[in-house]
Amino acid sequence: MEKLELLYEGKAKKVYATSDPEKYIVSYKDSATAFNGEKKGEIIGKGEVNNLMSNIIFQLLAKEGIKTHFISELNERETLVRAVSIVPLEVIVRNVAAGSFSKRFGVAEGIELKQPTLEFCLKDDALGDPMINTSQILALSLATPRELERIAYIATRVNEVLSNYFDTINVKLIDFKIEVGRTNNGEIILADEISPDTCRLWDKETGKKLDKDRFRQNLGEVEEAYQEMLNRVSKF
Ligand code: TMP
């Protein structure tokens, strides 16, 4: 399958058309941003780690009955995916307080939440991805009530499956962000990526951060943490 025109370039990936209108090629970059693009850098090898890790996870989720855009891995940085139109929402699930949740609600990082939380942000860089609630999503026709139900179900299932899975490789799933897309027959499926860019992942024993917070917070050993996550996921 050949890459045709560049359809979209985001902060971490490029999406290309192919000769088949039902399929796109995603190409992962090493570039990293944080705080809505304010902090910019490069994490050497990140494109490969995120591509390979995301593909392993999407295949695992598929086995659990969660439909994803994954079709086949083309090479270390590129994957063939089902063409979808991305629902402009960042869907965030949290098990433990961290990041913007800790900041917004004044809850110390690391506090276990009594139950997982589900939150939505509008995917709009110019607006800084503001939080949005379900009535606002419906009022703006960003999703239908049925789609929202489906999105919440997918997010909850992904959390269950991945929390258990990461536990077996000695990692605590603190929180994560997913994106979903509409196929051309109107089905909502999991899209984008699941990687150390989009999850908080802490070593179960030491609490060491094995995710993009190492870059966000200048903690060092950024590349090593990404490689460590890929090693653990690959060995499973
Ligand atoms: P937050 O605590 O900064 O809101 O992030 C929650 C989760 O979402 C965390 O695992 C990182 C992920 N995330 C993204 O994947 N993309 C983003 O743009 C942001 C802000 C967070």
Side-chain angles (χ1 to χ4, degrees), residues 96-103 106-112 174-175 200 202 207 209 213 217 219:
V96 173
S100 68
F101 185 94
S102 288
K103 204 169 160 205
V107 182
E109 180 178 274
I111 298 283
E112 186 87 33
I174 303 301
D175 57 34
R200 285 195 174 90
W202 295 359
K209 293 176 177 174
D213 269 353
Q217 301 169 359
L219 299 177

Side-chain angles (χ1 to χ4, degrees), residues 11 33-37 90-94 96-104 119 121 123 125 128-129 131 173-179 192-193 195-201 211-213 216:
K11 286 176 285 197
T33 62
F35 315 115
N36 203 27
E90 303 208 333
V91 182
I92 296 165
V93 177
R94 300 175 194 270
V96 173
S100 68
F101 185 94
S102 288
K103 204 169 160 205
R104 179 174 291 118
E119 63 191 61
C121 292
K123 199 173 142 64
D125 283 339
D129 297 340
M131 231 178 158
L173 178 60
I174 303 301
D175 57 34
F176 63 90
K177 181 268 301 183
I178 54 171
E179 293 178 27
D192 193 51
E193 68 178 280
S195 72
D197 271 15
T198 65
C199 302
R200 285 195 174 90
L201 303 159
D211 57 59
K212 194 173 160 189
D213 269 353
R216 293 188 188 100

Side-chain angles (χ1 to χ4, degrees), residues 109-120:
E109 180 178 274
I111 298 283
E112 186 87 33
L113 302 173
K114 198 169 165 202
Q115 60 177 57
T117 65
L118 175 64
E119 63 191 61
F120 300 97

